Amino acid sequence: MTGIWGEKYLGRRILRRSREELEAEVALANNLLDVLTRYLDQMCSCGPEMMSVESLLDHPLINYGLNTLQRTIGADMRNTNDLVTARNELLRNIAEKDEFINNYITM
């Protein structure tokens, strides 16, 4: 198709594809938020365990368990930071794509 009809078809196709990608990114952001929420809930539940382990007598196995728990919490914190960073980047992409769609519509 050439001319004005081809341009309109191409414009609608670009707009439809952009909206589909935007919907997929919004769904991904929501799933990422659910994962992050569950992950944070699990991390918060480790606090009481840490306190109870720290109050036990000095024993090599207890020290090993405490060290393992501290390393796990550190890894969880790094994973949480990575998830938050990924979600923020995804939300920034969503905002840019939404702005692109709105600008494209006004043209």
Side-chain angles (χ1 to χ4, degrees):
M1 286 189 229
T2 59
I4 196 164
W5 297 110
E7 291 173 10
K8 285 185 178 181
Y9 173 76
L10 184 60
R12 279 188 255 128
R13 190 171 171 193
I14 290 171
L15 191 59
R16 182 173 11 99
R17 178 70 178 178
S18 296
R19 284 184 178 154
E20 289 171 357
E21 289 176 6
L22 181 64
E23 289 172 4
E25 287 179 356
V26 167
L28 181 60
N30 289 335
N31 288 341
L32 193 53
L33 180 62
D34 289 342
V35 168
L36 187 57
T37 303
R38 276 187 266 132
Y39 206 69
L40 288 173
D41 287 344
Q42 288 176 356
M43 278 183 56
C44 291
S45 67
C46 288
E49 294 172 12
M50 186 77 152
M51 297 298 270
S52 64
V53 170
E54 287 177 341
S55 66
L56 294 174
L57 298 174
D58 194 26
H59 187 276
L61 287 177
I62 293 172
N63 291 337
Y64 176 77
L66 183 60
N67 185 28
T68 303
L69 190 57
Q70 288 171 338
R71 289 177 182 262
T72 302
I73 289 172
D76 287 345
M77 291 174 71
R78 284 189 300 275
N79 288 340
T80 301
N81 278 341
D82 291 344
L83 285 172
V84 168
T85 302
R87 185 169 187 273
N88 289 340
E89 181 69 21
L90 186 59
L91 291 175
R92 187 184 62 77
N93 288 341
I94 288 170
E96 288 177 359
K97 191 162 287 178
D98 191 39
E99 182 180 348
F100 168 77
I101 290 171
N102 290 334
N103 290 339
Y104 195 84
I105 290 172
T106 57
M107 288 185 2

